[in-house]
mmCIF file with all atom_site columns, all heavy atoms in Angstrom:
data_model
loop_
_atom_site.group_PDB
_atom_site.id
_atom_site.type_symbol
_atom_site.label_atom_id
_atom_site.label_alt_id
_atom_site.label_comp_id
_atom_site.label_asym_id
_atom_site.label_entity_id
_atom_site.label_seq_id
_atom_site.pdbx_PDB_ins_code
_atom_site.Cartn_x
_atom_site.Cartn_y
_atom_site.Cartn_z
_atom_site.occupancy
_atom_site.B_iso_or_equiv
_atom_site.pdbx_formal_charge
_atom_site.auth_seq_id
_atom_site.auth_comp_id
_atom_site.auth_asym_id
_atom_site.auth_atom_id
_atom_site.pdbx_PDB_model_num
ATOM 1   N N   . GLY A 1 13  ? -19.967 0.596   0.741   1.00 0.00 ? 13  GLY A N   1
ATOM 2   C CA  . GLY A 1 13  ? -20.991 -0.410  0.753   1.00 0.00 ? 13  GLY A CA  1
ATOM 3   C C   . GLY A 1 13  ? -20.507 -1.886  1.038   1.00 0.00 ? 13  GLY A C   1
ATOM 4   O O   . GLY A 1 13  ? -19.684 -2.334  0.410   1.00 0.00 ? 13  GLY A O   1
ATOM 5   N N   . HIS A 1 49  ? -32.303 -14.900 -4.574  1.00 0.00 ? 49  HIS A N   1
ATOM 6   C CA  . HIS A 1 49  ? -32.624 -15.814 -5.794  1.00 0.00 ? 49  HIS A CA  1
ATOM 7   C C   . HIS A 1 49  ? -31.530 -15.692 -6.711  1.00 0.00 ? 49  HIS A C   1
ATOM 8   O O   . HIS A 1 49  ? -31.210 -14.693 -7.132  1.00 0.00 ? 49  HIS A O   1
ATOM 9   C CB  . HIS A 1 49  ? -33.978 -15.452 -6.259  1.00 0.00 ? 49  HIS A CB  1
ATOM 10  C CG  . HIS A 1 49  ? -34.566 -16.373 -7.254  1.00 0.00 ? 49  HIS A CG  1
ATOM 11  N ND1 . HIS A 1 49  ? -35.598 -16.082 -8.014  1.00 0.00 ? 49  HIS A ND1 1
ATOM 12  C CD2 . HIS A 1 49  ? -34.146 -17.694 -7.694  1.00 0.00 ? 49  HIS A CD2 1
ATOM 13  C CE1 . HIS A 1 49  ? -35.897 -17.144 -8.866  1.00 0.00 ? 49  HIS A CE1 1
ATOM 14  N NE2 . HIS A 1 49  ? -34.916 -18.069 -8.584  1.00 0.00 ? 49  HIS A NE2 1
ATOM 15  N N   . ASN A 1 56  ? -32.877 -9.496  -22.258 1.00 0.00 ? 56  ASN A N   1
ATOM 16  C CA  . ASN A 1 56  ? -32.140 -8.921  -23.357 1.00 0.00 ? 56  ASN A CA  1
ATOM 17  C C   . ASN A 1 56  ? -30.757 -9.732  -23.234 1.00 0.00 ? 56  ASN A C   1
ATOM 18  O O   . ASN A 1 56  ? -30.391 -10.281 -22.409 1.00 0.00 ? 56  ASN A O   1
ATOM 19  C CB  . ASN A 1 56  ? -31.862 -7.416  -23.191 1.00 0.00 ? 56  ASN A CB  1
ATOM 20  C CG  . ASN A 1 56  ? -31.345 -6.972  -21.903 1.00 0.00 ? 56  ASN A CG  1
ATOM 21  O OD1 . ASN A 1 56  ? -30.218 -7.329  -21.635 1.00 0.00 ? 56  ASN A OD1 1
ATOM 22  N ND2 . ASN A 1 56  ? -32.120 -6.376  -21.056 1.00 0.00 ? 56  ASN A ND2 1
ATOM 23  N N   . GLU A 1 59  ? -28.382 -8.895  -20.295 1.00 0.00 ? 59  GLU A N   1
ATOM 24  C CA  . GLU A 1 59  ? -28.808 -9.428  -18.942 1.00 0.00 ? 59  GLU A CA  1
ATOM 25  C C   . GLU A 1 59  ? -28.543 -10.972 -18.999 1.00 0.00 ? 59  GLU A C   1
ATOM 26  O O   . GLU A 1 59  ? -28.145 -11.540 -17.923 1.00 0.00 ? 59  GLU A O   1
ATOM 27  C CB  . GLU A 1 59  ? -30.243 -9.219  -18.832 1.00 0.00 ? 59  GLU A CB  1
ATOM 28  C CG  . GLU A 1 59  ? -30.915 -9.759  -17.532 1.00 0.00 ? 59  GLU A CG  1
ATOM 29  C CD  . GLU A 1 59  ? -32.307 -9.486  -17.429 1.00 0.00 ? 59  GLU A CD  1
ATOM 30  O OE1 . GLU A 1 59  ? -33.115 -10.050 -18.177 1.00 0.00 ? 59  GLU A OE1 1
ATOM 31  O OE2 . GLU A 1 59  ? -32.708 -8.615  -16.639 1.00 0.00 ? 59  GLU A OE2 1
ATOM 32  N N   . ALA A 1 61  ? -26.190 -12.669 -20.640 1.00 0.00 ? 61  ALA A N   1
ATOM 33  C CA  . ALA A 1 61  ? -24.775 -12.798 -20.430 1.00 0.00 ? 61  ALA A CA  1
ATOM 34  C C   . ALA A 1 61  ? -24.312 -12.648 -19.066 1.00 0.00 ? 61  ALA A C   1
ATOM 35  O O   . ALA A 1 61  ? -23.404 -13.387 -18.548 1.00 0.00 ? 61  ALA A O   1
ATOM 36  C CB  . ALA A 1 61  ? -24.061 -11.909 -21.480 1.00 0.00 ? 61  ALA A CB  1
ATOM 37  N N   . TYR A 1 83  ? -26.601 -22.033 0.530   1.00 0.00 ? 83  TYR A N   1
ATOM 38  C CA  . TYR A 1 83  ? -26.644 -22.188 -0.840  1.00 0.00 ? 83  TYR A CA  1
ATOM 39  C C   . TYR A 1 83  ? -27.342 -23.448 -1.311  1.00 0.00 ? 83  TYR A C   1
ATOM 40  O O   . TYR A 1 83  ? -27.042 -24.594 -0.714  1.00 0.00 ? 83  TYR A O   1
ATOM 41  C CB  . TYR A 1 83  ? -25.378 -22.085 -1.497  1.00 0.00 ? 83  TYR A CB  1
ATOM 42  C CG  . TYR A 1 83  ? -25.307 -22.486 -3.011  1.00 0.00 ? 83  TYR A CG  1
ATOM 43  C CD1 . TYR A 1 83  ? -25.424 -21.491 -3.924  1.00 0.00 ? 83  TYR A CD1 1
ATOM 44  C CD2 . TYR A 1 83  ? -25.138 -23.741 -3.508  1.00 0.00 ? 83  TYR A CD2 1
ATOM 45  C CE1 . TYR A 1 83  ? -25.529 -21.812 -5.281  1.00 0.00 ? 83  TYR A CE1 1
ATOM 46  C CE2 . TYR A 1 83  ? -25.213 -24.062 -4.915  1.00 0.00 ? 83  TYR A CE2 1
ATOM 47  C CZ  . TYR A 1 83  ? -25.361 -23.020 -5.743  1.00 0.00 ? 83  TYR A CZ  1
ATOM 48  O OH  . TYR A 1 83  ? -25.337 -23.327 -7.161  1.00 0.00 ? 83  TYR A OH  1
ATOM 49  N N   . MET A 1 155 ? -17.710 -13.234 2.369   1.00 0.00 ? 155 MET A N   1
ATOM 50  C CA  . MET A 1 155 ? -16.783 -12.629 1.333   1.00 0.00 ? 155 MET A CA  1
ATOM 51  C C   . MET A 1 155 ? -15.741 -11.532 1.980   1.00 0.00 ? 155 MET A C   1
ATOM 52  O O   . MET A 1 155 ? -14.715 -11.433 1.623   1.00 0.00 ? 155 MET A O   1
ATOM 53  C CB  . MET A 1 155 ? -17.553 -11.924 0.277   1.00 0.00 ? 155 MET A CB  1
ATOM 54  C CG  . MET A 1 155 ? -18.215 -12.897 -0.630  1.00 0.00 ? 155 MET A CG  1
ATOM 55  S SD  . MET A 1 155 ? -19.389 -11.986 -1.748  1.00 0.00 ? 155 MET A SD  1
ATOM 56  C CE  . MET A 1 155 ? -19.553 -13.167 -3.102  1.00 0.00 ? 155 MET A CE  1
ATOM 57  N N   . VAL A 1 189 ? -11.645 4.394   -5.656  1.00 0.00 ? 189 VAL A N   1
ATOM 58  C CA  . VAL A 1 189 ? -12.810 4.273   -4.659  1.00 0.00 ? 189 VAL A CA  1
ATOM 59  C C   . VAL A 1 189 ? -13.885 3.562   -5.586  1.00 0.00 ? 189 VAL A C   1
ATOM 60  O O   . VAL A 1 189 ? -14.136 3.908   -6.662  1.00 0.00 ? 189 VAL A O   1
ATOM 61  C CB  . VAL A 1 189 ? -13.293 5.665   -4.271  1.00 0.00 ? 189 VAL A CB  1
ATOM 62  C CG1 . VAL A 1 189 ? -14.723 5.470   -3.608  1.00 0.00 ? 189 VAL A CG1 1
ATOM 63  C CG2 . VAL A 1 189 ? -12.373 6.318   -3.264  1.00 0.00 ? 189 VAL A CG2 1
ATOM 64  N N   . LEU A 1 204 ? -26.049 10.126  -11.107 1.00 0.00 ? 204 LEU A N   1
ATOM 65  C CA  . LEU A 1 204 ? -26.465 8.615   -11.404 1.00 0.00 ? 204 LEU A CA  1
ATOM 66  C C   . LEU A 1 204 ? -27.845 8.475   -11.741 1.00 0.00 ? 204 LEU A C   1
ATOM 67  O O   . LEU A 1 204 ? -28.743 8.966   -10.961 1.00 0.00 ? 204 LEU A O   1
ATOM 68  C CB  . LEU A 1 204 ? -26.116 7.769   -10.352 1.00 0.00 ? 204 LEU A CB  1
ATOM 69  C CG  . LEU A 1 204 ? -24.583 7.650   -9.942  1.00 0.00 ? 204 LEU A CG  1
ATOM 70  C CD1 . LEU A 1 204 ? -24.325 6.782   -8.828  1.00 0.00 ? 204 LEU A CD1 1
ATOM 71  C CD2 . LEU A 1 204 ? -23.723 7.217   -11.208 1.00 0.00 ? 204 LEU A CD2 1
ATOM 72  N N   . TYR A 1 232 ? -44.653 -12.435 -14.367 1.00 0.00 ? 232 TYR A N   1
ATOM 73  C CA  . TYR A 1 232 ? -43.668 -11.548 -13.737 1.00 0.00 ? 232 TYR A CA  1
ATOM 74  C C   . TYR A 1 232 ? -42.778 -10.709 -14.815 1.00 0.00 ? 232 TYR A C   1
ATOM 75  O O   . TYR A 1 232 ? -42.413 -9.701  -14.616 1.00 0.00 ? 232 TYR A O   1
ATOM 76  C CB  . TYR A 1 232 ? -42.631 -12.483 -12.915 1.00 0.00 ? 232 TYR A CB  1
ATOM 77  C CG  . TYR A 1 232 ? -41.607 -11.716 -12.107 1.00 0.00 ? 232 TYR A CG  1
ATOM 78  C CD1 . TYR A 1 232 ? -41.824 -11.332 -10.823 1.00 0.00 ? 232 TYR A CD1 1
ATOM 79  C CD2 . TYR A 1 232 ? -40.313 -11.487 -12.682 1.00 0.00 ? 232 TYR A CD2 1
ATOM 80  C CE1 . TYR A 1 232 ? -40.918 -10.692 -10.132 1.00 0.00 ? 232 TYR A CE1 1
ATOM 81  C CE2 . TYR A 1 232 ? -39.385 -10.962 -11.938 1.00 0.00 ? 232 TYR A CE2 1
ATOM 82  C CZ  . TYR A 1 232 ? -39.542 -10.536 -10.687 1.00 0.00 ? 232 TYR A CZ  1
ATOM 83  O OH  . TYR A 1 232 ? -38.582 -9.841  -10.067 1.00 0.00 ? 232 TYR A OH  1
ATOM 84  N N   . PRO A 1 252 ? -34.053 -23.431 3.198   1.00 0.00 ? 252 PRO A N   1
ATOM 85  C CA  . PRO A 1 252 ? -33.640 -24.643 3.772   1.00 0.00 ? 252 PRO A CA  1
ATOM 86  C C   . PRO A 1 252 ? -34.134 -24.950 5.182   1.00 0.00 ? 252 PRO A C   1
ATOM 87  O O   . PRO A 1 252 ? -34.168 -26.017 5.681   1.00 0.00 ? 252 PRO A O   1
ATOM 88  C CB  . PRO A 1 252 ? -31.982 -24.583 3.840   1.00 0.00 ? 252 PRO A CB  1
ATOM 89  C CG  . PRO A 1 252 ? -31.696 -23.494 2.721   1.00 0.00 ? 252 PRO A CG  1
ATOM 90  C CD  . PRO A 1 252 ? -32.961 -22.558 2.681   1.00 0.00 ? 252 PRO A CD  1
ATOM 91  N N   . VAL A 1 344 ? -12.825 -5.604  -11.608 1.00 0.00 ? 344 VAL A N   1
ATOM 92  C CA  . VAL A 1 344 ? -11.387 -5.837  -11.352 1.00 0.00 ? 344 VAL A CA  1
ATOM 93  C C   . VAL A 1 344 ? -10.637 -5.907  -12.753 1.00 0.00 ? 344 VAL A C   1
ATOM 94  O O   . VAL A 1 344 ? -9.477  -5.353  -12.813 1.00 0.00 ? 344 VAL A O   1
ATOM 95  C CB  . VAL A 1 344 ? -11.185 -7.215  -10.559 1.00 0.00 ? 344 VAL A CB  1
ATOM 96  C CG1 . VAL A 1 344 ? -9.782  -7.673  -10.550 1.00 0.00 ? 344 VAL A CG1 1
ATOM 97  C CG2 . VAL A 1 344 ? -11.709 -7.012  -9.143  1.00 0.00 ? 344 VAL A CG2 1
ATOM 98  N N   . GLY A 1 366 ? -21.881 9.857   -20.305 1.00 0.00 ? 366 GLY A N   1
ATOM 99  C CA  . GLY A 1 366 ? -21.137 10.499  -21.295 1.00 0.00 ? 366 GLY A CA  1
ATOM 100 C C   . GLY A 1 366 ? -19.707 9.977   -21.360 1.00 0.00 ? 366 GLY A C   1
ATOM 101 O O   . GLY A 1 366 ? -19.232 9.312   -20.426 1.00 0.00 ? 366 GLY A O   1
#
Side-chain angles (χ1 to χ4, degrees):
H49 188 190
N56 56 68
E59 182 181 69
Y83 174 86
M155 287 175 159
V189 169
L204 294 179
Y232 179 92
V344 169

